[in-house]
Amino acid sequence: MNYSQMRESLLNLKNEAIALISDTKGQKELERLRVVYLGRKGKVNKLASGIKTLIDSQKKEFGLLLNDTKSAIQQSLKVEAKRISEQREGDWLDVTLPSKHLPLGHLHPVTLAIKEVARIFERIGFTRVRYPEVEWDWFAFESLNMPQGHPARDEWETFFIDAPSHSKYGALVLTPHTSSGQVREMHRLKPPIRMINIAKCYRRQQDVTHTIMFHQFEGLVIDVGISIQHLKGTIDHFAKEFYGKGVTSRLRPSHFQFTEPSFEVDFSCTICEGTGKRKTGKRCRYCKSGWHEVAGAGMVHPQVLKAGGIDPEEYTGFAFGMGVERAYTLKPGLKLDDIRLIYQNDLRLLEQF
Ligand code: FA5
């Protein structure tokens, strides 16, 4: 073998060794390869024995190549040994170890509240319905006795959709209240009607008691002989079921175009227990007066019954629209004094439910 053949053989030996080593499956095979290539009678030493046939300058160069080959094979053996031992550790299973606790998600507090509200009303004979979030002007306003240009519309701070209008129902809006389901329900059913419509609503409002997107639940009852007593009884029943016996409700005279007479419904504040003051003596930041306005309500206006195809001479009805978030944040013990926190997706808050 001449010098250049010896050099080529050494290079091939190195490549062959590294390829085989990186393909090994266990420590035993690795040890066998170490002996085959680096052992006393191994392939590298066998080639090294030919060094005596070379002239001095070639001896020096071939010696360096031999050292380089040996250290490359050793390095490759080391890396592979480490990989094999790590793989073993990973595969090892201690069946006595306690299991890992993976975090479990749960329903959002508003979804929990909606389910609870629906259950309370379903138990007293209401049927849950859902009407469109993107609604025609006619159902949101006009059918509710608020014709085009009526100033009462301004109170609903509505988002309008940039889309072609309907020839009969007008513009498209993001529904600002669940009352838009009232006439839809009258079109769907003839009395007796007992509807609970729970849905998303949108308004251009945002502060501690308002969010841009929120939920309302709308109760609508229409039958022969329905009076304010039925309205008050239903609201009281809800307050006791949802909050417990300690919470009281009151109806304050108000005005809505679609009810006559109309009321604001207040529940006593569970944060300051109806006093309007914190224990520190400071004014309750959330209610300011001991009461929370949670709903609008009233006896369905004859014009609205007519828009729904119901004879106001024969039937009467009551309706109320309550904020889900607003009602929920009053739960005893919740002490949520900023309604916007519900929608900040902060796990520190959400995980408490
Ligand atoms: C109405 O929306 C009427 N449609 C209620 C009604 C229904 C009256 C049936 C008569 C008959 P009002 O704008 O007051 O009324 O809203 C009712 C409730 O929805 C409020 O008391 C509050 O609890 C909730 N609410 C209104 N706007 C927001 C908001 N931006 N964020 C959170 N909750 C809101």
Side-chain angles (χ1 to χ4, degrees):
M1 220 192 276
N2 63 26
Y3 179 50
S4 77
Q5 285 170 331
M6 281 172 73
R7 279 178 49 167
E8 199 179 322
S9 300
L10 194 60
L11 191 66
N12 287 342
L13 196 71
K14 182 170 116 179
N15 290 342
E16 174 192 288
I18 292 173
L20 287 174
I21 289 167
S22 65
D23 217 21
T24 43
K25 300 274 176 294
Q27 297 289 4
K28 263 192 191 162
E29 199 184 340
L30 211 57
E31 177 57 14
R32 189 185 64 76
L33 287 173
R34 191 191 66 76
V35 174
V36 168
Y37 289 96
L38 299 181
R40 209 155 46 87
K41 292 181 184 166
K43 290 187 178 186
V44 175
N45 274 348
K46 210 168 157 197
L47 260 180
S49 66
I51 201 168
K52 49 186 178 290
T53 62
L54 302 174
I55 57 167
D56 281 355
S57 62
Q58 290 172 339
K59 271 184 188 160
K60 195 176 168 198
E61 198 183 305
F62 194 65
L64 289 174
L65 282 176
L66 273 170
N67 284 344
D68 173 62
T69 304
K70 276 184 195 164
S71 52
I73 296 175
Q74 270 160 354
Q75 178 63 19
S76 166
L77 285 165
K78 210 168 130 187
V79 168
E80 201 55 25
K82 189 163 178 257
R83 186 187 65 78
I84 290 168
S85 76
E86 279 174 1
Q87 198 176 39
R88 261 217 215 137
E89 272 169 28
D91 288 348
W92 192 71
L93 174 71
D94 181 352
V95 291
T96 66
L97 278 176
S99 62
K100 283 183 190 160
H101 289 283
L102 297 174
L104 266 187
H106 61 76
L107 295 176
H108 189 274
V110 171
T111 310
L112 294 172
I114 288 173
K115 279 174 166 267
E116 191 178 347
V117 168
R119 262 199 312 274
I120 292 172
F121 284 101
E122 278 163 0
R123 277 202 297 267
I124 53 170
F126 283 69
T127 301
R128 184 173 174 193
V129 295
R130 274 169 229 212
Y131 286 115
E133 246 172 76
V134 179
E135 183 55 285
W136 298 112
D137 178 288
W138 193 81
F139 289 104
F141 295 113
E142 194 131 358
S143 67
L144 296 175
N145 204 21
M146 287 183 275
Q148 290 289 343
H150 196 287
R153 286 175 171 232
D154 295 348
E155 289 166 31
W156 274 269
E157 308 212 41
T158 311
F159 288 102
F160 287 86
I161 309 268
D162 189 7
S165 295
H166 189 282
S167 56
K168 182 173 172 203
Y169 296 136
L172 269 180
V173 298
L174 287 182
T175 195
H177 58 171
T178 42
S179 299
S180 50
Q182 285 191 19
V183 171
R184 282 191 176 272
E185 183 73 350
M186 294 178 210
H187 284 178
R188 189 177 77 90
L189 288 178
K190 290 294 149 225
I193 289 173
R194 270 188 224 156
M195 163 193 100
I196 188 83
N197 172 26
I198 312 180
K200 282 184 181 138
C201 305
Y202 301 83
R203 293 187 198 176
R204 291 181 290 111
Q205 303 171 331
Q206 179 138 263
D207 56 37
V208 287
T209 53
H210 295 88
T211 48
I212 290 171
M213 188 282 295
F214 60 102
H215 296 76
Q216 280 187 343
F217 52 102
E218 182 96 2
L220 174 71
V221 172
I222 303 175
D223 206 343
V224 175
I226 295 295
S227 70
I228 296 173
Q229 282 171 309
H230 296 112
L231 167 65
K232 178 77 169 113
T234 306
I235 297 279
D236 275 348
H237 174 78
F238 172 75
K240 303 271 178 277
E241 290 285 304
F242 198 63
Y243 300 109
K245 293 202 170 78
V247 170
T248 49
S249 75
R250 70 177 185 189
L251 298 183
R252 272 183 297 119
S254 184
H255 174 80
F256 293 101
Q257 277 295 109
F258 39 96
T259 44
E260 182 57 41
S262 303
F263 309 98
E264 294 291 347
V265 180
D266 297 341
F267 290 144
S268 54
C269 178
T270 55
I271 292 179
C272 65
E273 288 158 359
T275 60
K277 285 187 183 153
R278 293 291 175 92
K279 282 192 180 113
T280 56
K282 281 192 182 158
R283 201 156 73 133
C284 177
R285 178 177 166 234
Y286 196 40
C287 69
K288 300 183 180 99
S289 65
W291 293 93
H292 282 281
E293 179 208 310
V294 284
M299 300 306 292
V300 182
H301 197 287
Q303 285 295 104
V304 179
L305 291 172
K306 278 189 200 156
I310 293 174
D311 181 1
E313 298 296 324
E314 192 179 352
Y315 294 104
T316 50
F318 71 76
F320 60 86
M322 202 174 296
V324 173
E325 293 81 357
R326 190 81 63 84
Y328 192 55
T329 50
L330 295 182
K331 282 256 188 190
L334 209 60
K335 297 205 188 299
L336 249 186
D337 62 4
D338 187 338
I339 203 169
R340 294 168 296 187
L341 290 171
I342 295 182
Y343 291 117
Q344 279 172 2
N345 289 337
D346 187 335
L347 287 181
R348 287 170 303 176
L349 176 91
L350 296 179
E351 280 171 352
Q352 294 177 45
F353 291 89

